[in-house]
Amino acid sequence: MSTPLLEARSLVKHYGSVEALRGASFQVAAGEVVSLIGDNGAGKSTFIKCLSGAEQPDSGEILLEGKQIQLDSPTTARALGIETVYQDLAVAPDLDPAANLYLGREIRRKGLLGALGMLDKAEMRRRASEEFGRLGVTLQSVDVPIGALSGGQRQSVAVARSVVWASKVVFMDEPTAALGVVQRERVLDVIRKVRDQGIGVVLISHNMPEVLSVSDRVEVLRLGKRVARFKASEASLTDLVGAMTGALVQEDLS
Ligand SMILES: Nc1ncnc2c1ncn2[C@@H]1O[C@H](COP(=O)(O)OP(=O)(O)OP(=O)(O)O)[C@@H](O)[C@H]1O
Ligand SMILES: [Mg+2]
């Protein structure tokens, strides 16, 4: 394999006496969808948090395009082009979808008003409507508070926000869990589109048919460690479940 876009080597993370990651490794290439799967508590969310700056590993290395990086906060990760949709959704419920899309990257008004900190809400709404339309997110209105949307609509906004800003890698921790059939298919289409732009997409999902249909590769975490890797086109449901439960063991993994 050529130099991976993002690589984790032997990450260890403790929460008190719980060892959430026990030397977990992972790779994603540009223009590739990799699903990270594993049983409840396997360490998937912890892993994503370490790779997106939300948590710091106790030891191990993270490399972006072959260079070692320190991700001391999500802001650092974002500045490097790494965006994340967290499982415990981080949308601001009092703000409308447009404001959520531009959270932390607000567009200011031109001239003195902008210099005084006035935001160009009309421009943000116009561009947000365009982006939501492009990504197939259907909202009645982009100027109601997020808290007034359905859970699935909120999840779609969080997905849109991450893919709009990502330039290298997007992590999505169960982005389709709350979605209906139609919205789920749209998010999977968005994932394919983002991949085709050359971005590395990392998907966490418990839905194995979804994993097999959208991924190029699958990496399996078990008890805080990578235990198997598959090409999605060569893996069966039985292989994936076997690796997650420990019934199937791949010997050649460091
Ligand atoms: N903030 C925390 N404090 C203490 N323990 C934690 C914390 N976050 C995770 N853990 C523990 O670390 C382990 C891995 O949890 P993690 O959330 O990474 O699993 P997961 O693979 O994402 O599971 P799920 O599929 O249920 O979302 C679990 O044993 C969990 O209890
Ligand atoms: Mg999780």
Side-chain angles (χ1 to χ4, degrees):
M1 195 193 217
S2 54
T3 309
L5 175 61
L6 190 77
E7 180 174 7
R9 292 185 186 159
S10 305
L11 298 197
V12 173
K13 175 74 184 173
H14 293 88
Y15 292 108
S17 61
V18 178
E19 202 172 14
L21 297 179
R22 311 177 185 212
S25 297
F26 178 81
Q27 292 173 340
V28 60
E32 179 182 57
V33 179
V34 181
S35 285
L36 181 61
I37 65 170
D39 211 352
N40 293 123
K44 304 178 298 296
S45 293
T46 306
F47 207 19
I48 295 303
K49 286 177 183 166
C50 289
L51 292 176
S52 64
E55 300 270 12
Q56 278 68 50
D58 302 326
S59 66
E61 291 176 1
I62 301 171
L63 298 94
L64 183 65
E65 295 172 324
K67 290 195 206 86
Q68 205 177 331
I69 52 168
Q70 298 288 338
L71 297 173
D72 47 26
S73 73
T75 315
T76 309
R78 275 188 216 119
L80 292 169
I82 302 169
E83 290 286 331
T84 311
V85 183
Y86 293 102
Q87 183 172 21
D88 24 31
L89 277 184
V91 286
D94 299 334
L95 298 178
D96 64 42
N100 264 284
L101 194 69
Y102 283 94
L103 195 63
R105 287 150 163 145
E106 288 80 0
I107 301 175
R108 288 172 190 263
R109 295 193 35 182
K110 293 205 175 68
L112 182 63
L113 290 175
L116 290 172
M118 289 267 286
L119 303 181
D120 194 340
K121 291 197 178 147
E123 180 63 10
M124 287 194 279
R125 280 183 191 155
R126 193 186 63 72
R127 288 204 215 167
S129 293
E130 253 175 47
E131 291 293 352
F132 288 138
R134 190 173 67 85
L135 298 171
V137 179
T138 43
L139 302 170
Q140 301 276 341
S141 151
V142 291
D143 52 14
V144 294
I146 281 269
L149 300 181
S150 77
Q153 288 170 325
R154 273 202 294 267
Q155 207 169 23
S156 301
V157 171
V159 168
R161 183 174 62 188
S162 70
V163 302
V164 163
W165 301 109
S167 59
K168 302 263 188 207
V169 182
V170 188
F171 290 110
M172 300 190 187
D173 196 346
E174 306 198 25
T176 61
L179 301 185
V181 183
V182 175
Q183 291 280 353
R184 176 185 291 258
E185 282 306 317
R186 290 216 174 110
V187 167
L188 297 182
D189 283 341
V190 167
I191 288 175
R192 294 185 186 103
K193 268 188 213 159
V194 171
R195 184 252 326 262
D196 293 344
Q197 289 166 15
I199 290 171
V201 183
V202 182
L203 173 71
I204 294 181
S205 171
H206 286 286
N207 182 326
M208 293 304 122
E210 169 178 298
V211 162
L212 286 174
S213 96
V214 79
S215 317
D216 299 297
R217 288 193 309 109
V218 181
E219 300 214 350
V220 186
L221 266 192
R222 182 170 141 74
L223 304 173
K225 261 190 153 158
R226 179 171 65 189
V227 293
R229 302 200 264 186
F230 299 99
K231 273 192 182 159
S233 58
E234 294 169 2
S236 69
L237 207 61
T238 319
D239 294 333
L240 301 185
V241 175
M244 286 193 285
T245 57
L248 182 155
V249 180
Q250 287 183 349
E251 299 291 350
D252 56 340
L253 280 182
S254 52

